Amino acid sequence: MTAGLHLTALQAQTRLAYTAVEFATLDNPGATTVIRSMNSANEVAGGFKRDRRRASSALIFSANNVVEDAAGEQGAGNSVTYGINDQGEVAGAFNTNVGLRPFRAVRRAGFQELALPEGSNGGVAYSLNDLGEAAGYASGSAGIRPVWWTRRGEVQLLQTTGNQTARALDLNDRGDVVGVYGNDVKTAVIWPRKGGVVSLATLAGFTHSEAVSVAENGTVAGVATGVSQFPNRSRAVLWPAGAQAVQDLGTLAGGTDSRARDVNNRGEVVGTSSSAEGERAFVWTAASGMQDLNTLVSVPGLVMTDALAINKKGDIVVMGHAGQSDQPGQSREHVDHHVARRIFVLRPLQ
């Protein structure tokens, strides 16, 4: 008993804490918003329909509501930015009269439509590493296939088996690519150094899995979904570097579902979890487990519902909405779909 009390006190002393910096207020309620990645300079990649009369735009968000159009005139007909690297280069997709096309954009060098393999007429670039390589998928008569692009924009197919649908969702600088594979049963996979495809284990009792993020050391984060009693149930999971074993990251108190969005090289995972108070943004570490970010930083009037990305320094992108987050013991789930969403970056206190 004494040892247990000492451990609890020690954990409380080492509890994470953050400061919050506002990046954007998205005041077009109901419009689809994509926020997927952030680089070490705290530039955030995404997409949003800023004007009700215009299409969605591929954007880069910076502190104090500074917004940059990443695709320019080429992406004027609906575009979104998914990946951003430490050079400020971005990757994503833009809409044409044929379908979605992948792109890469470089400041001062312009916009580049990425090549597609034979048998494809569309695709998406989801991730971009610091070498300028991108990963995503191509679609068309040959099916939906995982691909990666070289620095010059040349397309390369990743290994698949049979006619299974597959998408690459993230890659790191050493060339590890992760994603999802399969039709009826979806399986998390990794292509180590862009090589042969390797299936990653899912949780016992769950049907599907998806690998959404890979750190520089090969640690992979994702989600397991679907159990026999609850087909839509989800759980945030982690695959340690070099291992196929899977770790259940759990949920926040009172919750049943969670999803991991991103992992960094320190093994810190961020995402969203249900809880007794509704959907909440979380950070998970091996030392502290899963913690509600609303308890680690106070932003008056804001409820943080999703943590979307974490960079090498441990900075976290969160999305939230107006709510009564300053009333302990009372439900903070007062979601109004007509209220503006807000984007913040949380920076760890040293």
Side-chain angles (χ1 to χ4, degrees):
M1 180 68 71
T2 303
L5 289 173
H6 175 72
L7 177 61
T8 301
L10 181 62
Q11 288 176 335
Q13 291 171 4
T14 59
R15 182 172 165 176
L16 299 170
Y18 299 85
T19 59
V21 179
E22 184 161 10
F23 267 48
T25 297
L26 309 179
D27 56 0
N28 186 359
T32 300
T33 302
V34 174
I35 301 292
R36 188 178 172 91
S37 59
M38 174 177 59
N39 63 17
S40 296
N42 289 159
E43 295 172 315
V44 177
F48 180 64
K49 188 175 182 179
R50 289 186 289 177
D51 187 327
R52 291 175 176 84
R53 298 164 297 179
R54 300 182 62 189
S56 297
S57 300
L59 304 172
I60 300 174
F61 299 93
S62 299
N64 302 315
N65 289 284
V66 174
V67 181
E68 177 183 347
D69 193 327
E73 294 182 2
Q74 296 94 328
N78 271 322
S79 59
V80 62
T81 301
Y82 290 108
I84 186 167
N85 64 18
D86 281 353
Q87 286 70 53
E89 302 168 343
V90 297
F94 70 105
N95 207 26
T96 70
N97 57 1
V98 176
L100 281 175
R101 293 295 180 88
F103 78 85
R104 178 171 162 271
V106 182
R107 288 187 175 107
R108 298 177 298 278
F111 178 95
Q112 176 189 23
E113 182 176 342
L114 296 171
L116 293 170
E118 185 177 351
S120 299
N121 57 17
V124 173
Y126 280 124
S127 181
L128 187 71
N129 66 18
D130 284 343
L131 304 178
E133 300 168 335
Y137 74 87
S139 61
S141 61
I144 298 175
R145 297 177 290 174
V147 298
W148 69 277
W149 289 273
T150 69
R151 174 78 184 178
R152 295 187 297 272
E154 301 159 340
V155 66
Q156 306 288 327
L157 288 168
L158 290 162
Q159 184 193 79
T160 57
T161 303
N163 296 318
Q164 297 291 313
T165 292
R167 293 176 174 85
L169 301 177
D170 194 25
L171 83 164
N172 60 19
D173 288 348
R174 73 181 188 184
D176 300 322
V177 183
V178 297
V180 60
Y181 189 92
N183 296 324
D184 295 332
V185 176
K186 295 176 174 57
T187 302
V189 292
I190 183 169
W191 292 268
R193 290 176 169 81
K194 310 185 189 82
V197 62
V198 178
S199 297
L200 298 170
T202 192
L203 293 176
F206 283 70
T207 306
H208 310 282
S209 59
E210 183 175 334
V212 300
S213 176
V214 58
E216 294 306 319
N217 63 1
T219 298
V220 179
V223 60
T225 58
V227 293
S228 57
Q229 302 93 335
F230 304 98
N232 297 318
R233 181 102 342 139
S234 64
R235 191 59 58 88
V237 294
L238 189 71
W239 293 273
Q244 290 179 267
V246 61
Q247 182 176 356
D248 185 346
L249 301 188
T251 67
L252 294 173
T256 56
D257 300 85
S258 59
R259 298 184 74 90
R261 306 290 194 195
D262 200 10
V263 60
N264 67 10
N265 212 38
R266 301 192 294 196
E268 299 165 330
V269 181
V270 295
T272 183
S273 173
S274 61
S275 74
E277 297 179 310
E279 297 295 318
R280 295 293 178 263
F282 76 76
V283 60
W284 179 96
T285 67
S288 303
M290 185 179 291
Q291 298 182 74
D292 183 347
L293 282 165
N294 292 275
T295 68
L296 304 180
V297 59
S298 177
V299 181
L302 178 73
V303 174
M304 291 174 280
T305 57
D306 207 342
L308 301 148
I310 184 167
N311 66 15
K312 300 170 184 176
K313 301 182 296 182
D315 303 326
I316 301 170
V317 182
V318 297
M319 182 182 294
H321 57 75
Q324 299 180 17
S325 58
D326 56 349
Q327 298 185 25
Q330 188 177 59
S331 173
R332 295 192 292 236
E333 193 61 21
H334 300 285
V335 179
D336 184 344
H337 295 291
H338 298 287
V339 301
R341 286 155 292 178
R342 300 171 71 190
I343 306 297
F344 279 77
V345 169
L346 309 184
R347 295 172 178 165
L349 291 173
Q350 300 300 322

